[in-house]
Amino acid sequence: MTDILWNFASFIIALGILVAVHEFGHFWVARRCGVKVEKFSIGFGKSIWSKTGQDGTEYSLSVIPLGGYVKMLDGRVDDVPAEQRGQAFDTQPLWKRTSIVAAGPAFNFFFAVFAYWLVFLIGVPAVKPVIGQVQPNSIAARAGLESNMELKSVSGVKTPDWESVNMGLISHIGDKQMTLTVAPADEFGIEEIKTLDLTDWSFDPEVESAMSSLGFQPFTPEISTQLTSVTAGGAGDAAGLMAGDKLLSANDTPLTDWQQVVELVQNSPNQMISLVVERNGETLNLTLIPESRSVSNDRVIGFAGIAPQVAEWPESYRFDLQFGVFESVGKAVEKTGQVIGLTVSMLKKLIVGDVGLNNLSGPISIAKGAGTTADYGLVYFLGFLALISVNLGIINLVPLPMLDGGHLMFFAVEAVTRRPVPERVQDMGYRIGGAIIFSLMAVAIFNDFARL
């Protein structure tokens, strides 16, 4: 219950910030263009707090925290006194109306740059993307990837850490091939380009990571079979396991690495596993019955609630992704550009069918992401805000009526035809656009519940 409340609170804070940024973009540019703003609201529905400023604008917090709006003086909606016609949105030149509408998404992109600037200024711990195990006969193995190679770039985009690698790999969903620039182990200064044939690449993000689907795993320090924690009330606790226990064998099979334990537990839901453990120099025989958990595709796996001891990362692999005040600006712009490129690419692939609708995420998934990153710390939460801000900006630019992109589409037609799009056509567009948007929202929310 605590996790749910934390996720919800983090989601409300994140959404409030991003909506405020987006709507402030419309508000700020409207004011600069001489348009009267009657109300600036964060949230929908009944106001729980409001104040009218000296500028005549009502600033409001509303009860439903799932969006916001800026209400401008508009002759198409209200009767506008003759003396205020010059302050109405609908009487403004086309370039002003376009600027006001485009300002919302633009401010989302500016905010992403600002958030990433703070991330790079504060610094975030990272590890070099060095390849660990490579699965034989996999896509990665056929391309010539080997253990201990460091990934330098994905299709020309630099990848200083695993987050960058993951973004680069995901951007190639639906493509026929991609290139990886790697630095072979013990060959300082030498780089090679490997081409991966993606013709047979099958990637389901609900089941595995992009890396594992290609056939390789990140390097990780040695993971022993000695336990560092046992979840209270979990299957391991019920079996009598304790932190500090070393797992020696399971079902009469010696245990030499942690992956053996993971595979055995996951493949044995509600089944007895005979364990031999070492505790304080003594050998004990225990019986573990893993709990069952449902994952995607109705698959059921075992879960024991135990965690192993992990060795320290080598110093040469660890670094802080941190830059100075001015260098962070360039890095933030570059990072925002990469996220914009990835988002646009995935949106295009969603439209043409290269990416399935089951990959859409809704408010529940976003709330989980908000809660998780907030739990990790400020710098991770800022990165999450930047990512969602970019997505919000791009989605609003989609040329569907009801979105900013729909308005911009009508303005583009007006620029060509030299007259506004008829209100009857606009109204029909809003109905069609609304149906599409609400259908996609329904799919996203359904996907969220399916992932629970």
Side-chain angles (χ1 to χ4, degrees):
M1 186 64 180
T2 303
D3 288 343
I4 294 175
L5 293 175
W6 175 252
N7 290 344
F8 179 74
S10 302
F11 172 67
I12 294 303
I13 292 171
L15 190 63
I17 293 172
L18 298 181
V19 168
V21 166
H22 182 91
E23 298 303 333
F24 181 75
H26 294 309
F27 169 80
W28 189 82
V29 174
R31 292 287 301 276
R32 295 304 176 277
C33 289
V35 174
K36 179 178 175 59
V37 179
E38 298 181 324
K39 187 172 184 177
F40 182 114
S41 176
I42 303 300
F44 298 107
K46 185 178 180 180
S47 293
I48 55 177
W49 175 89
S50 67
K51 179 180 180 180
T52 301
Q54 294 182 351
D55 54 5
T57 301
E58 179 188 355
Y59 299 90
S60 172
L61 288 177
S62 300
V63 69
I64 304 175
L66 297 177
Y69 63 93
V70 170
K71 185 178 185 300
M72 290 173 267
L73 189 65
D74 194 326
R76 298 169 301 176
V77 180
D78 302 307
D79 292 330
V80 178
E83 64 273 14
Q84 293 186 344
R85 286 293 297 165
Q87 294 179 288
F89 174 82
D90 60 309
T91 64
Q92 303 304 311
L94 180 60
W95 71 268
K96 285 190 176 183
R97 285 179 281 139
T98 301
S99 299
I100 293 169
V101 171
F107 269 56
N108 281 126
F109 299 140
F110 293 149
F111 176 81
V113 172
F114 172 72
Y116 279 131
W117 176 74
L118 288 177
V119 168
F120 290 125
L121 192 63
I122 297 170
V124 57
V127 294
K128 293 180 180 179
V130 177
I131 297 174
Q133 293 182 339
V134 178
Q135 184 178 343
N137 300 317
S138 63
I139 294 174
R142 291 194 294 270
L145 296 185
E146 299 176 359
S147 296
N148 298 320
M149 284 182 169
E150 182 181 347
L151 293 168
K152 293 291 188 177
S153 67
V154 176
S155 297
V157 179
K158 292 182 180 180
T159 53
D161 57 3
W162 279 114
E163 180 191 4
S164 302
V165 171
N166 195 48
M167 286 178 56
L169 299 181
I170 291 175
S171 69
H172 285 283
I173 294 176
D175 294 343
K176 299 300 181 183
Q177 67 176 31
M178 71 175 156
T179 58
L180 300 180
T181 302
V182 299
D186 303 323
E187 294 187 24
F188 181 77
I190 298 177
E191 294 184 355
E192 300 176 0
I193 296 178
K194 305 292 186 181
T195 301
L196 279 66
D197 182 358
L198 305 180
T199 305
D200 299 323
W201 186 24
S202 177
F203 171 44
D204 183 353
E206 294 301 312
V207 177
E208 57 187 343
S209 68
M211 289 171 280
S212 61
S213 67
L214 291 168
F216 71 93
Q217 297 290 343
F219 167 84
T220 56
E222 181 181 357
I223 304 175
S224 74
T225 59
Q226 186 166 0
L227 305 182
T228 56
S229 65
V230 178
T231 303
D237 187 29
L241 290 171
M242 300 175 62
D245 288 352
K246 184 175 182 179
L247 307 184
L248 301 178
S249 69
N251 293 338
D252 298 324
T253 300
L255 297 173
T256 57
D257 63 70
W258 183 252
Q259 188 59 34
Q260 288 177 276
V261 179
V262 173
E263 293 176 358
L264 180 60
V265 169
Q266 289 188 348
N267 293 329
S268 307
N270 300 320
Q271 298 178 31
M272 289 193 302
I273 300 175
S274 299
L275 296 176
V276 177
V277 305
E278 180 183 312
R279 179 184 299 167
N280 298 326
E282 298 183 2
T283 300
L284 303 174
N285 293 295
L286 301 175
T287 300
L288 171 68
I289 304 178
E291 301 170 356
S292 62
R293 285 195 175 183
S294 297
V295 293
S296 59
N297 298 326
D298 296 325
R299 182 183 169 213
V300 178
I301 63 173
F303 184 78
I306 55 179
Q309 184 178 50
V310 182
E312 290 288 330
W313 280 91
E315 283 294 330
S316 60
Y317 284 29
R318 296 188 297 177
F319 67 100
D320 286 330
L321 203 59
Q322 185 176 27
F323 305 94
V325 174
F326 299 107
E327 191 178 3
S328 292
V329 174
K331 294 295 182 181
V333 172
E334 180 183 354
K335 181 71 172 182
T336 302
Q338 290 176 359
V339 176
I340 289 174
L342 173 62
T343 306
V344 171
S345 174
M346 296 302 292
L347 187 60
K348 286 164 51 181
K349 290 174 181 179
L350 184 68
I351 293 172
V352 300
D354 289 334
V355 175
L357 289 175
N358 62 314
N359 291 300
L360 284 176
S361 294
I364 297 176
S365 294
I366 296 174
K368 284 184 177 180
T372 301
T373 53
D375 206 27
Y376 287 157
L378 174 63
V379 70
Y380 297 97
F381 189 59
L382 286 170
F384 173 80
L385 288 178
L387 175 65
I388 300 301
S389 189
V390 167
N391 279 264
L392 182 62
I394 290 175
I395 289 173
N396 266 283
L397 288 175
V398 173
L400 283 175
M402 288 191 69
L403 298 177
D404 293 333
H407 293 288
L408 295 174
M409 178 180 66
F410 289 144
F411 292 160
V413 173
E414 181 179 344
V416 173
T417 62
R418 303 295 182 180
R419 59 178 180 272
V421 175
E423 290 190 15
R424 178 177 56 83
V425 175
Q426 292 189 43
D427 183 62
M428 183 180 299
Y430 292 139
R431 294 175 185 272
I432 295 173
I436 294 174
I437 292 169
F438 287 122
S439 296
L440 292 175
M441 287 177 59
V443 171
I445 293 173
F446 175 81
N447 290 340
D448 281 353
F449 281 108
R451 296 182 184 115
L452 293 178

